[in-house]
Amino acid sequence: MQPKAVLETALYVDDLDRAEDFYGRVLGLEFISRMAGRHVFFRCGQVIVLLFNAEATRIASANTALPVPVHGASGAGHLCFRAEGPEIDLWKQKLETAGVQIEADFEWPNGGRSIYFRDPSGNSLQFGEQKIWGLS
């Protein structure tokens, strides 16, 4: 057996309001839900992006109907969004217009291009072509 796909991924942020603005307004992800002080969730295609206040996820849930184990991380995480050739130029322009600094923009030795930037909490984000991983 092998997993079929990634259903959700989590990043940890230090300011939920800034994260919600960045992922919603700047990146245009579809808002799903928010719990003040704990999380904000978005949809990106068929994947759910969970943005958590790390400290809040280290506290056990009192909701016995949803016995999610404690979790959380510290330090910057990483998430790569898939984008194809010309889209990367458009994303670069949109990000720079929004005041987001592009940290790197390069072609991979095996083919494919990526740009790297950071969210307001310092998480490393990337737009990259599938072919950087040999996918078509």
Side-chain angles (χ1 to χ4, degrees), residues 2 5 16 36 42 44 53 65 79 83 97 101-102 118 126:
Q2 185 179 53
L16 289 171
F42 290 93
C44 180
N53 170 327
L79 177 61
T97 298
Q101 178 185 352
I102 303 300
R118 301 230 173 228
Q126 173 187 5

Side-chain angles (χ1 to χ4, degrees), residues 29-60:
L29 298 185
E30 178 188 343
F31 174 84
I32 296 175
S33 69
R34 176 188 176 106
M35 178 182 282
R38 187 176 188 283
H39 67 251
V40 60
F41 297 162
F42 290 93
R43 180 182 318 280
C44 180
Q46 296 297 307
V47 177
I48 306 303
V49 177
L50 310 171
L51 303 174
F52 286 112
N53 170 327
E55 294 305 316
T57 63
R58 290 187 180 107
I59 299 168

Side-chain angles (χ1 to χ4, degrees), residues 13 15-24 40 42 51 119-121:
V13 300
D15 186 322
L16 289 171
D17 292 331
R18 286 178 58 201
E20 183 174 354
D21 178 65
F22 183 81
Y23 285 85
V40 60
F42 290 93
L51 303 174
D119 75 5
S121 294

Side-chain angles (χ1 to χ4, degrees), residues 2-132:
Q2 185 179 53
K4 291 177 178 52
V6 173
L7 176 62
E8 63 186 36
T9 189
L11 291 174
Y12 297 89
V13 300
D14 54 19
D15 186 322
L16 289 171
D17 292 331
R18 286 178 58 201
E20 183 174 354
D21 178 65
F22 183 81
Y23 285 85
R25 183 182 57 80
V26 178
L27 296 183
L29 298 185
E30 178 188 343
F31 174 84
I32 296 175
S33 69
R34 176 188 176 106
M35 178 182 282
R38 187 176 188 283
H39 67 251
V40 60
F41 297 162
F42 290 93
R43 180 182 318 280
C44 180
Q46 296 297 307
V47 177
I48 306 303
V49 177
L50 310 171
L51 303 174
F52 286 112
N53 170 327
E55 294 305 316
T57 63
R58 290 187 180 107
I59 299 168
S61 172
N63 184 346
T64 56
L66 296 171
V68 176
V70 296
H71 55 288
S74 58
H78 173 71
L79 177 61
C80 178
F81 297 99
R82 186 179 74 210
E84 299 308 322
E87 291 177 303
I88 293 177
D89 285 324
L90 295 173
W91 277 112
K92 183 177 181 179
Q93 181 181 24
K94 179 175 180 155
L95 291 165
E96 289 175 334
T97 298
V100 178
Q101 178 185 352
I102 303 300
E103 292 185 328
D105 178 348
F106 62 91
E107 297 282 335
W108 287 85
N110 294 332
R113 179 178 169 208
S114 289
I115 60 171
Y116 289 81
F117 56 100
R118 301 230 173 228
D119 75 5
S121 294
N123 289 300
S124 174
L125 302 178
Q126 173 187 5
F127 279 103
E129 294 182 88
Q130 293 187 115
K131 56 187 160 184
I132 67 175

